[in-house]
Amino acid sequence: MTPLLQVDNLRIELTTRDGVAPVIDDLSLQLNAGETLSFVGESGCGKSMTALALMGLLPEGVGRVASGKILFDGEDLTQASDARLREIRGNEISMIFQEPMTSLNPVYTIGEQIAEVLRRHQNLSKKAAWNKAIELLDAVRIPNPSARVSDYPHQMSGGQRQLVMIAIALACEPKILIADEPTTALDVTVQAQIFDLLRDLGREFGTAIILITHDMGAVADMAERMIVMYAGRKAEAGPVEQVIEHPRHPYTKGLISCVPHLIATLTEERPELTEVAGIVPSLRDFGRDQCLFASRCDRADQQCKSSRPPEIEFDDGQSSACWHAEQL
């Protein structure tokens, strides 16, 4: 089966005061129609930058695709014109951004902002787009949608604003939906509702979902496959259940050990939580010919500090960029 999205050896560079740095370094992945793939990792590891590259929204004059391909339905988006990218964005590939309060325009009603997408990409009349906006608010389970469609963003709760962002993203029934930390700053009950909604809508519309998160619990609940990112590189990838049960990279193992419900059962003594020592390296250190996790890893040896580990693939569909992956 031909993948809906295929990224080959993608390298994204940012121009900084210290020079040019590879914020994404040799990333490859595939996404099939109707599949949910999750990007996991700490802040600053390149998850959101990858999403912006897929949308053609890299910071102008600062970020650029230095090499590699982004193939969407066989079309290389790195070679697409700005006009073509505008046709795809919000129509075939949509994104739910992290901060709904800053992503929504405070001076336009919710209905106007949803209708704008429909009129731009589907050429609907004002009335048809407005009626469709009400239907979308109902689909994302906002109560009394015919009244709330005239509300402004400040009149809605954080959870409701996020539901509006989902309605906007799904307005044109895209083939790919990118959800960038869709439950940030929301309470756990609202988080659960949003994940249930994304699952249901993904099945209803046949939409492939890319979930960006640092929450391993959300990954276990939502995704079929996962990619663990670290310092702009793919550290590990594979089926979610396989990676969680048998992580083959020390960073993945550390992330999992930070989540109580993933490592404890009712019949076992609850183990002590551990933390991943240290912090993500500075952007100026990205791209170095070594394992960038070595300074935080208790397994690191001279080989880890002097050469970059290759991506090792295993028979179970899992892969890991670690010199000691076979021993983990």
Side-chain angles (χ1 to χ4, degrees), residues 109-297:
T109 66
I110 296 303
E112 289 171 322
Q113 296 184 63
I114 299 174
E116 179 186 13
V117 178
L118 296 163
R119 294 175 64 194
R120 168 69 177 82
H121 290 296
Q122 297 191 349
N123 297 317
L124 296 185
S125 66
K126 267 190 172 184
K127 183 176 180 180
W130 187 264
N131 290 335
K132 181 66 174 178
I134 295 173
E135 291 177 15
L136 285 163
L137 290 181
D138 185 53
V140 298
R141 303 168 190 170
I142 288 183
N144 196 13
S146 57
R148 301 309 300 273
V149 71
S150 300
D151 283 354
Y152 289 87
H154 73 272
Q155 295 175 282
M156 309 189 98
S157 69
Q160 289 173 331
R161 288 194 293 266
Q162 194 62 286
L163 292 175
V164 171
M165 291 297 299
I166 294 173
I168 293 173
L170 290 171
C172 298
E173 300 183 15
K175 295 179 180 179
I176 298 176
L177 175 65
I178 302 171
D180 189 2
E181 300 280 5
T183 58
T184 298
L186 301 179
D187 64 60
V188 291
T189 55
V190 177
Q191 288 181 27
Q193 291 170 8
I194 286 177
F195 286 138
D196 287 343
L197 176 64
L198 288 175
R199 249 193 313 269
D200 293 344
L201 293 174
R203 284 193 290 264
E204 180 181 347
F205 295 110
T207 302
I209 297 175
I210 296 177
L211 174 66
I212 298 173
T213 183
H214 60 270
D215 184 349
M216 294 294 285
V219 175
D221 190 40
M222 278 287 297
E224 287 108 51
R225 290 191 301 116
M226 64 188 291
I227 293 175
V228 181
M229 297 282 293
Y230 187 77
R233 298 175 181 173
K234 186 200 298 183
E236 185 165 1
V240 169
E241 186 175 350
Q242 176 67 24
V243 172
I244 288 177
E245 289 184 356
H246 189 194
R248 293 184 181 271
H249 195 286
Y251 181 58
T252 310
K253 199 170 184 178
L255 292 177
I256 293 171
S257 69
C258 295
V259 185
H261 66 274
L262 289 180
I263 57 175
T265 69
L266 294 175
T267 59
E268 295 176 348
E269 182 179 348
R270 187 179 298 272
E272 182 179 349
L273 291 179
T274 59
E275 64 178 23
V276 183
I279 59 174
V280 177
S282 167
L283 190 60
R284 68 173 66 92
D285 294 323
F286 282 32
R288 288 190 175 184
D289 189 21
Q290 65 174 89
C291 174
L292 296 177
F293 187 65
S295 63
R296 306 174 68 182
C297 180

Side-chain angles (χ1 to χ4, degrees), residues 11-30:
R11 181 183 175 95
I12 300 172
E13 294 180 345
L14 288 184
T15 302
T16 70
R17 287 175 295 181
D18 298 319
V20 177
V23 67
I24 299 295
D25 192 2
D26 195 28
L27 176 66
S28 296
L29 62 94
Q30 291 186 348

Side-chain angles (χ1 to χ4, degrees), residues 301-319:
D301 54 22
Q302 189 55 43
Q303 185 181 37
C304 303
K305 298 173 183 177
S306 61
S307 57
R308 177 174 177 169
E311 185 177 357
I312 301 171
E313 297 186 358
F314 297 89
D315 293 338
D316 53 17
Q318 202 168 344
S319 66

